[in-house]
Amino acid sequence: MLNKQLFLTLSLSTLLLAGCSTTHYISITPQENVKTATLSNERVIDVTTSTKLTNAVGSIKTGINERADIFTTNDVKQSVKESVLSGLRKMGFTPDQGLMPAADLQIEITKMSYTTKVETLKTVATLEFELKATLAAKGQTYKANYGSQKVREYGTMPYQQAIQDDMNALASQTVNRLLSDPNIIALLK
């Protein structure tokens, strides 16, 4: 009886040490947060988004050997574009109306990552989201990079919803940096 109990305890300990592996699927949909304004544009504003990134955002490994891979389930290019267009409209711009040639705003999603490192039994996660914008308007070309980073610490595996919320907050912050850039606004007016 004692051997059986010892065997069960050892088996359970081995399973716990082996950790569990899972996959987190998140949707990244940045929300613009700009002040309503009465700006107007003379030219059509053509917004395009691109990325060379895949839907793999990163992975988590905790101090107690839990593992999870993180993937996006939506088209992040489309959600960034919709967020930027929504922000421009809220500011008073009418992107689909105006003279041609259009003001050409190209946005590339250059980084979308969730990486972890273990310090003792604490897991430190670094979340990053970066955009590169190129705006050709009024005979000028303006280029800028916008990035946001967040560091989270935890002891056990975070919930999928918490990861999604954190990544969305970061993406929103980055999109809002682009929308509040005075050089972008000046060239679109």
Side-chain angles (χ1 to χ4, degrees), residues 33-148:
N33 184 16
V34 293
K35 289 188 172 120
T36 302
T38 55
L39 300 172
S40 62
N41 51 297
E42 196 175 281
R43 305 209 164 272
V44 168
I45 303 170
D46 185 25
V47 178
T48 56
T49 51
S50 65
T51 188
K52 292 181 177 92
L53 303 175
T54 65
N55 70 332
V57 178
S59 62
I60 301 169
K61 185 171 183 200
T62 67
I64 55 174
N65 225 14
E66 298 169 302
R67 281 193 45 78
D69 293 316
I70 305 166
F71 296 97
T72 57
T73 57
N74 65 320
D75 182 351
V76 180
K77 295 185 308 288
Q78 188 61 34
S79 64
V80 166
K81 179 178 179 172
E82 288 168 7
S83 179
V84 168
L85 285 170
S86 172
L88 291 173
R89 286 187 189 100
K90 197 172 186 182
M91 293 160 69
F93 292 115
T94 51
D96 48 353
Q97 295 175 14
L99 302 171
M100 292 300 275
D104 184 24
L105 177 57
Q106 297 174 9
I107 302 166
E108 183 182 0
I109 303 160
T110 54
K111 192 170 216 177
M112 177 176 60
S113 67
Y114 193 109
T115 55
T116 58
K117 67 180 179 186
V118 175
E119 295 175 357
T120 320
L121 287 178
K122 175 176 66 175
T123 303
V124 179
T126 303
L127 294 69
E128 295 177 287
F129 195 88
E130 294 176 6
L131 300 173
K132 182 167 96 178
T134 304
L135 174 59
K138 297 183 179 176
Q140 299 176 49
T141 300
Y142 174 70
K143 294 181 179 195
N145 296 308
Y146 309 93
S148 301

